[in-house]
Amino acid sequence: MPAEPLANAPEFTVSELSSALKRTVEDRFGHVRVRGEISGFRGPHSSGHCYFALKDESAKIEAVVWKFVHARMRFKPQEGLEVIATGKLTTYPNSSKYQIVIDQLEPAGIGALMALMEERKKKLAAEGLFDEARKQLLPWLPEVIGVVTSPTGAVIRDILHRLRDRFPRRVLVWPVKVQGEGSAEQVAAAIRGFNALPEGGRIPRPDLLIVARGGGSLEDLWSFNEEIVVRAAADSVIPLISAVGHETDITLIDFAADKRAPTPTAAAEMAVPVRSELFAEVESLARRTMLCWQRGQESRRNELRAAARALPSLSELLAIPRQRLDHLGAALPRGLKANTHAHHRRFSQVSAGLTLRVLHGQVAQANHRLTVAGERIRLSARALLRHRRERFMGLEVRLKASKLSNAQAQRNTIARERERTQRLAERARRALLTTLQRFDARVTHCGQLLSALSYRGVLARGFALVRDEHGRAVHAAAAVGPSERLSIEFADGNVGATADADRPAATASPAKSATREAKPAAPKRVSKPVDQGSLF
């Protein structure tokens, strides 16, 4: 049999029905924790928001992470990662589906953390951040040591105590959080801050860095597996020792650091040598140096004595040079006389060619050359001046013509720009009118939509709103007590009323009544006509 038509059932628009369902889902569930595998994640959208799905063996739910939440998340979404998501369950009216808006995301168990760590290790290793060629040698005896750790733990005390026992050095401590939210950013900022210190500044720049933390679980040490910390350690110009956890604890910063220490105490031992051993070694080297110097001196003294015995006497060495000197001294007077006669003959030959007639001829020839050169210079200067004058006159004509053409071009440009400005002003005026008309139509549409969604439109269709004496809406007859004052609101005004005195007392408790008022149940459709119900 066909169902009897619901002639008196309330009508819902699609927007009203979607809004009612949205309120029902959000009020019923609120914040929930969901465990599932991330599916369909392709990275953040161009807007910065993330859209993906959480699934298990038999179901799937859509998920959204807003941009500002994704920026402060400790664990970022990754495809195929099993996670526990905390967020608010809601609906998306445009596609009639429900989804979870995630506020917090964390891996589901140690297995997921290890898988995430291995995947991140492969990614960073592929970029070359763990190559041995990038690692630096530690300084043999650093003057200043920078320590990045918590100032309140036992780690810093162990490091300072070990340095004081082995070789006291100046230590700069950069206090950071070593676990929890924000700890990775603080550790990375401390490493980059030490590297940013200028050399010779008020705060000395460390020669060696130690990043230290005590032992703990994988979750406690996870900050040192974050990509921002690993990249900061790999980019450090100052040699860095990683001393995170105990000997069996492995973190990604250990692979990027220049040296890994099994414990913070071992890191202090790697940083400096033992002072007493250095003193003993220096004394031993000094003694050995003195003995070697003494043996060398004795050996050179013996060699000098042997060489002195092998050399001939001084008289034997100077005998031949003395004889040669005597021979040359005896031949010197004859040589001086011969040299004097040779120079006299040469001067006589030269003076024979220097007569007065020859000098007059040379002077006359020089005067003729000078006269010819002066005439050529005068003619060249006159020709150069004429050429320069003609060139300047041509340049003057060209300059006048260029000034006239430039002025005309400027006038044409100004005219074109004036026309373009007038066209743009007209377009701007038309665009302004069009924008104002569009805004006017939008405001009109919003006003109509506001009037359509108002409950007073429902009252105009013949419905009434009943309130008790406290002004709260009454949704059921069972909530009205005997002789209770009521206020009935129609479309054109309010009317006071009093309930029957002989009616049974209300069975619902005030707390449940208040709960019903705060969370009204959605109206159900029945097969037979019923009372009007309430949209509230």
Side-chain angles (χ1 to χ4, degrees):
M1 294 296 291
E4 186 177 353
L6 302 176
N8 203 24
E11 297 179 354
F12 292 96
T13 64
V14 176
S15 298
E16 291 174 349
L17 184 60
S18 298
S19 299
L21 291 173
K22 180 180 178 68
R23 288 194 301 271
T24 301
V25 171
E26 292 179 352
D27 294 342
R28 171 63 180 84
F29 292 96
H31 281 76
V32 296
R33 285 170 59 85
V34 180
R35 181 174 183 146
E37 179 183 340
I38 296 179
S39 175
F41 180 69
R42 298 295 180 268
H45 193 262
S46 58
S47 61
H49 309 311
C50 299
Y51 302 96
F52 52 91
L54 296 175
K55 68 177 184 179
D56 56 11
E57 294 81 1
S58 58
K60 182 173 72 173
I61 182 174
E62 299 296 329
V64 178
V65 179
W66 300 129
K67 176 182 179 180
F68 60 90
V69 177
H70 181 264
R72 59 181 174 82
M73 272 189 170
R74 181 181 177 186
F75 293 98
K76 307 296 183 183
Q78 295 188 19
E79 177 68 19
L81 183 65
E82 186 177 5
V83 296
I84 298 177
T86 304
K88 184 178 181 181
L89 203 63
T90 184
T91 63
Y92 183 55
N94 287 5
S95 58
S96 300
K97 64 182 180 181
Y98 65 94
Q99 61 187 11
I100 180 173
V101 179
I102 298 177
D103 296 332
Q104 185 179 356
L105 199 67
E106 57 187 37
I110 300 298
L113 286 176
M114 294 299 297
L116 179 60
M117 179 177 172
E118 288 298 325
E119 182 179 354
R120 188 172 293 171
K121 178 181 177 182
K122 293 179 181 178
K123 172 188 172 182
L124 298 177
E127 296 181 12
L129 268 65
F130 301 156
D131 292 346
E132 290 296 328
R134 295 173 55 95
K135 300 185 182 300
Q136 309 175 73
L137 296 177
L138 301 183
W140 186 72
L141 185 59
E143 292 293 334
V144 181
I145 300 175
V147 180
V148 179
T149 187
S150 173
T152 60
V155 172
I156 185 61
R157 292 194 297 271
D158 293 343
I159 293 177
L160 295 177
H161 178 71
R162 181 57 65 181
L163 290 176
R164 187 167 55 251
D165 290 344
R166 292 174 65 86
F167 206 120
R169 297 280 88 185
R170 184 173 182 180
V171 178
L172 297 180
V173 180
W174 196 302
V176 296
K177 292 173 57 178
V178 292
Q179 73 179 69
E181 184 176 356
S183 57
E185 289 76 9
Q186 292 187 15
V187 173
I191 296 175
R192 299 188 188 279
F194 272 131
N195 281 270
L197 290 176
E199 295 185 2
R202 185 174 61 88
I203 300 177
R205 184 179 182 183
D207 302 316
L208 178 68
L209 294 183
I210 299 177
V211 179
R213 188 205 185 282
S217 62
L218 182 59
E219 292 86 348
D220 296 337
L221 303 179
W222 188 255
S223 299
F224 298 92
N225 293 322
E226 294 291 348
E227 188 172 340
I228 184 175
V229 175
V230 179
R231 292 188 182 277
D235 295 338
S236 177
V237 180
I238 304 174
L240 187 143
I241 299 177
S242 170
V244 179
H246 296 305
E247 188 169 359
T248 57
D249 297 326
I250 301 296
T251 56
L252 295 184
I253 193 177
D254 296 336
F255 299 98
D258 300 305
K259 195 74 173 179
R260 177 187 178 268
T263 60
T265 303
E269 295 176 354
M270 292 180 181
V272 294
V274 181
R275 188 175 184 179
S276 59
E277 294 179 358
L278 289 179
F279 284 158
E281 184 176 357
V282 169
E283 291 177 358
S284 174
L285 292 176
R287 288 193 300 270
R288 292 175 60 187
T289 302
M290 181 58 67
L291 293 175
C292 290
W293 181 81
Q294 291 175 354
R295 286 195 297 269
Q297 291 295 101
E298 186 64 28
S299 176
R300 293 185 187 92
R301 189 178 294 108
N302 295 331
E303 291 176 358
L304 180 61
R305 291 171 181 169
R309 287 193 297 270
L311 287 175
S313 63
L314 182 61
S315 59
E316 294 177 358
L317 288 175
L318 297 178
I320 295 176
R322 185 182 297 112
Q323 185 179 0
R324 187 182 297 117
L325 178 61
D326 294 340
H327 177 74
L328 292 176
L332 182 60
R334 294 192 301 274
L336 290 176
K337 292 179 180 179
N339 189 23
T340 302
H341 289 306
H343 280 83
H344 185 269
R345 286 194 302 270
R346 183 179 176 187
F347 288 152
S348 298
Q349 294 174 0
V350 173
S351 63
L354 294 176
T355 61
L356 186 61
R357 185 181 299 175
V358 173
L359 292 177
H360 283 307
Q362 292 179 353
V363 171
Q365 188 178 2
N367 288 333
H368 177 69
R369 287 199 303 268
L370 182 61
T371 303
V372 172
E375 185 64 22
R376 291 178 61 184
I377 290 173
R378 185 176 60 83
L379 295 177
S380 298
R382 188 175 299 173
L384 180 61
L385 289 175
R386 184 173 58 254
H387 176 70
R388 291 289 178 87
R389 188 180 295 111
E390 293 175 356
R391 181 183 177 190
F392 288 155
M393 291 175 63
L395 291 176
E396 183 181 4
V397 173
R398 291 175 59 188
L399 180 60
K400 291 180 179 179
S402 176
K403 288 173 61 178
L404 293 175
S405 61
N406 190 20
Q408 185 62 33
Q410 291 295 332
R411 293 191 193 96
N412 295 338
T413 302
I414 292 172
R416 288 196 301 270
E417 293 298 330
R418 184 183 296 109
E419 294 177 0
R420 182 168 177 267
T421 304
Q422 292 175 355
R423 291 196 302 272
L424 291 177
E426 182 63 23
R427 290 177 60 188
R429 186 183 62 81
R430 291 197 300 269
L432 180 60
L433 292 176
T434 303
T435 304
L436 291 176
Q437 292 173 1
R438 188 182 298 113
F439 285 166
D440 189 19
R442 186 180 298 176
V443 171
T444 304
H445 175 70
C446 291
Q448 294 174 356
L449 181 61
L450 181 61
S451 300
L453 296 178
S454 176
Y455 77 95
R456 296 189 181 279
V458 180
L459 298 180
R461 295 200 297 269
F463 293 88
L465 176 61
V466 181
R467 293 188 175 92
D468 58 12
E469 58 185 2
H470 300 292
R472 295 191 294 266
V474 179
H475 301 282
V480 179
S483 301
E484 185 175 350
R485 296 289 296 173
L486 302 174
S487 174
I488 305 175
E489 181 180 355
F490 296 93
D492 55 349
N494 296 335
V495 175
T498 303
D500 297 336
D502 54 352
R503 65 178 281 103
T507 58
S509 63
K512 293 183 178 180
S513 177
T515 303
R516 287 194 297 270
E517 292 173 3
K519 299 182 180 179
K524 299 180 179 178
R525 297 186 179 274
V526 296
S527 59
K528 293 183 179 182
V530 295
D531 58 353
Q532 294 291 340
S534 174
L535 292 178
F536 302 92

